[in-house]
Amino acid sequence: MEFSDAAGFWSFQLKLLSLQRKIQGAIADEKKRVKVARAGAESVKALQQVRWQARRLGDAFAWLVLKLDRKAIRPLAENSPVPISQEGHGSRGADAVSQYLASQGWGFPLLHDITDCLRIGDVTFVRPQGDSTSLRTVELKTRLLGEESSSSDEGPLLHYSVTVSFLSSPEDALEFEATVPEGQEGQAPEQVVEGPSSPRQDRRIEKQFKRMSKALTLQEAADSQIFEVDGNSTMSLLVESSSEGHWGKINELIEESRTTGYASVCIDKAFMYVALYSSDGVTEGSVANPRILDDLKATEFLSEGGKHGNFLEISAIPAQETRAAQLYMPFYLYPISQVAISDFMHGRLVVVALTNAGRIAEALERDGFDVTIPPGTRSPSDSISVAIPAERLRFEGLGFHIRESIHECKGMDFILDVARGIRGTAQLAGEELSRLQSRTEQ
């Protein structure tokens, strides 16, 4: 789609949210029908898959509006999954005030409800400021005040009180009274009046502010400086990666699979991507193709006699829905053809990514790290424990970045750059803590 102005972006969000609500309604109806008919639930699973694709499309939209800024996106994902909101008084009041605040210079309102990855707050206002972007995440609470008849054909006028809560403290909340024609979801309010600030302080609001405060702290944290989060000392460091990714190979892989139904490529000895294509839809039987094992043996993917052996994992691209937010790039934004994206959506194309955590461990050890992979773990890459002997430091969060490398085809260089960045962060943190201790002693 092409957009000529902000109104087009706003309209896209409302259409997408309306579609998600219709899909959710269809799932509820189908569950009732299946229960009565005592039939299989394949139709429900199919609708749930469509719902997931709609949520990931919302994620892709958010990534673009936030300029692919992972430091802005990831802190807003640290919460439980948020179900699709239902149309009603809450959504009408929130939409009306969001448009009003946008007209007052707050920036473009990005609706969190269309996404899966934005789980803290209801709306983030995005406002360009020169070379940078100002973000303000808010919570919205709507209360119906009443309604009155209207002489127009738009239906009665609904009067709402909307509380807009945002940092730096709960006392900063604003209250607005908005008048909205019934049935005009997403339309600008006929009237908005700012009222006194008197938000209701309850435990729910306090928890929301704590989550918003943590997210803001992480978003605004200066690189290479220690700061506090949840009582813990933390340091943020921007990692510049030399990896350009392997999308050229993936595009060739996809094109070959469209001709032969099957294609594979081994990348950096640690990743094997297998593309499966069928115009009738890829089945579980297709994934069990015996050629995969032959290709694994024909490459250097499998280690022979290495210290760590072979720890294999399988991932599907696009990824299936999970409870945790998926914080790698949504497949809609992959640098592949629109035909391939359409094939992903309709199940005609599946890319299976095989990862050998043993090979990743070998590469890390060649770079000076000590690596341990506990035996019997369900996800070896998530369980990789990396030590930096010189800093007497061990970290276990590399699995997040390995998944990012898998789903964005970044290869081994990216993983090594992240590990080196963590090593550099440890060195800086040690120096900073030494300085702080010296000042305390003085």
Side-chain angles (χ1 to χ4, degrees), residues 412-429:
M412 186 65 70
D413 286 344
F414 172 75
I415 296 172
L416 291 174
D417 286 338
V418 170
R420 292 164 185 159
I422 295 174
R423 179 165 56 195
T425 302
Q427 294 169 348
L428 288 171

Side-chain angles (χ1 to χ4, degrees), residues 237-248:
L237 184 69
L238 177 64
V239 176
E240 296 289 349
S241 177
S242 59
S243 174
E244 296 181 357
H246 298 276
W247 286 109

